[in-house]
């Protein structure tokens, strides 16, 4: 029996010989079936098995009954069992979230922590083909793209669902064949919950039209998942060159997203956001970022959930924590010595030296004339009215210089300026103020800028 489960576990390498599987057991029919089946597989295939039960403290004496049932069952079957609990109702109030959402979060947190504690490389849950069909229908009813119609994944990391292609009818047949006991959650009969209404009212009607509707729809979910996985793989390849920013975000040329076909562009944004955290985003959020990437405007931003934001910086698309600004404080330039600016990605080194016969053309190195400097040197953000005369170029206000160079507005304040009392003597990424340079062979103050990340890149561009 459960041939579908056997095939699925092999296809997704769910049960490695010599490994350790943690099985989530509520005490209901599905989880009892899964635990019993895994117990048999463990003996045959040589992996360790531990059960885990989480008491949500939502159903009073019934919750206590379930926990006691699982403990007794595992004792009789000689399966190690870990029982945990959490006050879901109180936690939902603290989080301002729904009961179901909070229950799931606490339950999976418990399973992850327990897996770590017992050394389990897999966490098995008893989702069935019926659960998968119900999930697909819920997404369809609420409105969904292809991603939402792919249902529950058979495997995600160490989380596995061996029964995902097994129907509830097959589970019940397995329980009957092996005379296995189980408990019933009274809330499963409450059709105020959308999933229960689908399970008890809608799917039975569909089965009148096609008795095999669950199996057929489960097959459809598998086909849709394969299509979606292909599109997602294309999206991942399209944005694989995205680079980290100093703010903990990601940056890439906006054109890499803008030129993609719509189905792949939206997924590409999802792929990027997934690298910043395991959060859920609506299609409208993903679409808004695609539109930003395709906009003809050189700047703009989109606020996203979970404290993130997307912004355009000329030809770049940046995804990062919202509200990240510069706000850095000017610091004295150590002369001689090193001045580190780790939040900006720079380190400045100053020392007495002699100007070489051939002055450097590298904007990261310059030789300043001590006689041309007034007062102590500081490193600070650009100030209104700052101007500089770069070697071989006319004098220009730094603001205009940065605009002409298409440095994003948000990043202009993060470019360090070395200055004395009269104004800038050097601008990061651009070079020194020519009138302040020492003559070849003359004593000088060497100023050398060392990028801590990538050469001469302002924050949020290619850094």
């Amino acid at each position: 029996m459960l041939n579908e489960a056997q095939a699925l576990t092999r296809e997704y390498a769910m049960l490695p010989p010599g490994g350790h599987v943690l099985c989530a057991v509520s005490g209901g029919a599905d989880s009892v079936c899964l635990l019993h089946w895994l117990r048999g597989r463990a003996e045959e295939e040589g992996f360790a098995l531990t059960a885990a039960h989480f008491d949500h403290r939502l159903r009073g004496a019934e919750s206590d009954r379930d926990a006691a049932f699982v403990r007794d069952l595992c004792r009789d079957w000689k399966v190690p069992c870990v029982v945990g609990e959490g006050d879901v109702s109180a936690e939902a109030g603290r989080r301002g979230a729904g009961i179901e959402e909070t229950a799931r979060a606490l339950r999976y947190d418990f399973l992850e922590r327990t897996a770590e504690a017992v050394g389990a490389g897999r966490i098995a849950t008893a989702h069935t083909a019926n659960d998968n069909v119900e999930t697909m229908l819920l997404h369809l009813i609420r409105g969904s793209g292809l991603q939402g119609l792919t249902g529950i994944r058979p495997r995600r990391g160490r989380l596995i669902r061996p029964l995902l292609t097994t129907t509830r009818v097959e589970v019940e047949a397995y329980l009957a064949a092996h005379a296995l006991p189980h408990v019933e959650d009274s809330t499963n009969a409450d059709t105020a919950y959308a999933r229960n209404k689908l399970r008890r009212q809608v799917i039975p009607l569909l089965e009148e039209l096609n008795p095999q509707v669950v199996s057929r729809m489960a097959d459809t979910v598998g086909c849709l998942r394969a299509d979606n996985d292909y599109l997602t793989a294309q999206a991942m390849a399209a944005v694989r060159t995205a680079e980290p920013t100093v703010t903990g975000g990601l940056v890439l040329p906006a054109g890499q997203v803008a030129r993609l076909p719509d189905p792949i562009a939206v997924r590409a944004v999802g792929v990027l956001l997934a690298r910043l955290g395991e959060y859920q985003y609506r299609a409208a959020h993903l679409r808004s970022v695609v539109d930003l990437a395709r906009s003809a405007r050189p700047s703009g931003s989109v606020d996203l959930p979970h404290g993130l934001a997307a912004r355009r910086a000329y030809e770049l698309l940046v995804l990062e924590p919202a509200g990240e600004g510069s706000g850095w404080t000017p610091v004295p330039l150590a002369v001689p010595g090193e001045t580190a600016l780790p939040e900006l990605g720079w380190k400045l080194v100053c020392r007495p030296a002699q100007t070489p016969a051939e002055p450097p053309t590298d904007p990261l190195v310059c030789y300043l004339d001590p006689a041309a400097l007034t007062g102590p040197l500081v490193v600070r953000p650009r100030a209104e009215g700052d101007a500089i005369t770069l070697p071989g170029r006319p004098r220009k206000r730094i603001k205009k210089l940065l605009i002409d160079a298409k440095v994003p507005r948000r990043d202009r304040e993060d470019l360090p300026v070395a200055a004395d009392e009269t104004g800038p003597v050097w601008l990061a990424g651009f070079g020194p103020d020519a009138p302040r340079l020492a003559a070849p062979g003359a004593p000088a103050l060497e100023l050398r800028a060392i990028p801590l990340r990538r050469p001469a890149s302002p924050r949020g561009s290619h850094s």
Side-chain angles (χ1 to χ4, degrees):
M1 301 183 73
L2 300 190
N3 292 332
E4 290 286 343
Q6 184 73 2
L8 190 67
T9 55
R10 287 175 177 167
E11 179 183 356
Y12 285 88
M14 293 184 182
L15 306 174
H20 194 154
V21 177
L22 181 71
C23 180
V25 185
S26 67
D30 299 339
S31 65
V32 168
C33 172
L34 177 61
L35 182 64
H36 186 270
W37 185 76
L38 285 176
R39 180 168 166 257
R41 298 272 66 74
E43 294 176 357
E44 293 183 13
E45 301 178 26
F47 61 84
L49 178 66
T50 299
H53 175 82
F54 187 73
D55 182 353
H56 301 88
R57 294 170 59 184
L58 289 172
R59 293 176 289 119
E62 189 175 283
S63 292
D64 297 336
R65 176 209 65 182
D66 293 353
F69 172 82
V70 172
R71 282 194 183 95
D72 292 343
L73 186 70
C74 290
R75 182 195 62 221
D76 294 343
W77 289 358
K78 296 181 173 55
V79 175
C81 181
V82 179
V83 176
E85 66 175 26
D87 191 338
V88 171
S89 181
E91 183 63 23
R94 282 193 291 270
R95 297 186 181 192
I99 292 292
E100 288 183 278
E101 175 188 351
T102 305
R104 184 183 187 282
L106 294 187
R107 181 170 64 252
Y108 277 93
D109 179 65
F110 161 72
L111 291 174
E112 290 287 349
R113 286 186 286 106
T114 303
E116 288 291 334
V118 303
R122 301 284 191 272
I123 300 173
T125 65
H127 292 90
T128 66
N130 291 67
D131 294 313
N132 214 4
V133 168
E134 291 160 11
T135 298
M136 176 190 182
L137 289 174
L138 283 170
H139 288 162
L140 185 63
I141 291 166
R142 294 165 181 165
S144 172
L146 180 57
Q147 175 70 39
L149 300 182
T150 60
I152 305 167
R153 299 196 68 84
R155 178 175 173 180
R156 182 168 58 84
R158 64 178 169 185
L159 192 64
I160 59 173
R161 279 105 178 197
L163 301 183
L164 198 60
T165 51
T166 301
T167 66
R168 193 159 285 127
V169 169
E170 291 170 316
V171 167
E172 292 169 354
Y174 184 93
L175 294 178
H178 294 277
L180 301 178
H182 67 279
V183 293
E184 291 287 347
D185 183 339
S186 60
T187 63
N188 287 340
D190 187 354
T191 54
Y193 295 102
R195 185 177 289 272
N196 289 346
K197 183 168 288 188
L198 282 174
R199 181 178 302 167
R200 294 182 171 273
Q201 297 179 4
V202 176
I203 291 180
L205 288 175
L206 295 176
E207 288 174 330
E208 291 180 11
L209 298 174
N210 179 2
Q212 302 299 315
V213 66
V214 172
S215 295
R216 299 289 74 80
M217 290 183 70
D219 291 342
T220 299
V221 168
C223 293
L224 295 177
R225 184 183 302 118
D227 290 349
N228 186 65
D229 287 348
Y230 174 78
L231 292 173
T232 300
Q234 299 301 303
M236 292 176 69
V239 295
R240 67 180 181 277
T241 57
E243 299 178 351
T245 70
V246 297
T247 61
L250 291 169
V251 61
L252 75 165
Q256 285 187 219
V257 172
R259 63 173 172 263
L260 296 172
D262 283 357
I264 298 179
V266 171
R267 284 172 173 78
V269 173
V271 167
L272 292 169
L273 291 173
R275 288 174 59 180
L276 301 180
E278 293 188 14
Y279 305 119
Q280 296 294 318
Y281 296 89
R282 295 184 181 276
H285 297 138
L286 305 181
R287 167 58 60 185
S288 66
V289 178
V290 174
D291 291 342
L292 181 66
R294 291 175 174 169
S295 173
R297 298 178 59 193
S299 63
S301 64
V302 172
D303 289 330
L304 298 169
H306 314 299
L308 296 176
R311 63 183 176 92
R312 270 291 294 279
Y314 291 96
E315 77 281 6
L316 299 175
L317 176 66
V318 185
L319 301 170
E320 62 186 352
E324 288 289 340
S326 67
W328 61 284
T329 303
V331 295
L333 185 65
V335 182
E338 297 182 357
T339 305
L341 303 168
E343 72 280 12
L344 305 178
W346 294 92
K347 179 171 70 173
L348 302 183
V349 179
C350 264
R351 67 182 183 90
Q354 187 174 36
T355 309
E358 292 292 333
T361 57
D362 186 347
L364 299 181
V365 181
C366 65
Y367 291 84
L368 301 173
D369 181 0
L373 304 176
T374 305
L377 293 173
V378 298
V379 186
R380 60 170 174 77
R382 174 185 65 87
E384 190 64 34
D386 273 350
I388 195 168
T389 306
L390 297 176
R393 299 171 63 176
R395 189 165 183 80
K396 184 179 288 190
R397 286 185 180 272
I398 289 181
K399 178 179 180 180
K400 181 68 164 56
L401 179 69
L402 299 181
I403 291 173
D404 291 346
K406 294 188 176 181
V407 176
R409 177 187 303 172
R410 182 187 178 98
D411 299 327
R412 296 170 197 162
E413 311 311 316
D414 282 353
L415 280 183
V417 174
D420 64 4
E421 292 180 356
T422 62
V425 301
W426 174 85
L427 174 62
F430 290 84
D433 187 42
R436 313 295 195 100
L437 292 175
L445 183 66
E446 181 188 81
L447 175 61
R448 184 176 297 271
I450 302 173
L452 300 180
R453 294 175 181 86
R454 289 178 178 80
S457 295
R459 190 181 92 169
S461 58
H462 295 290
S463 62

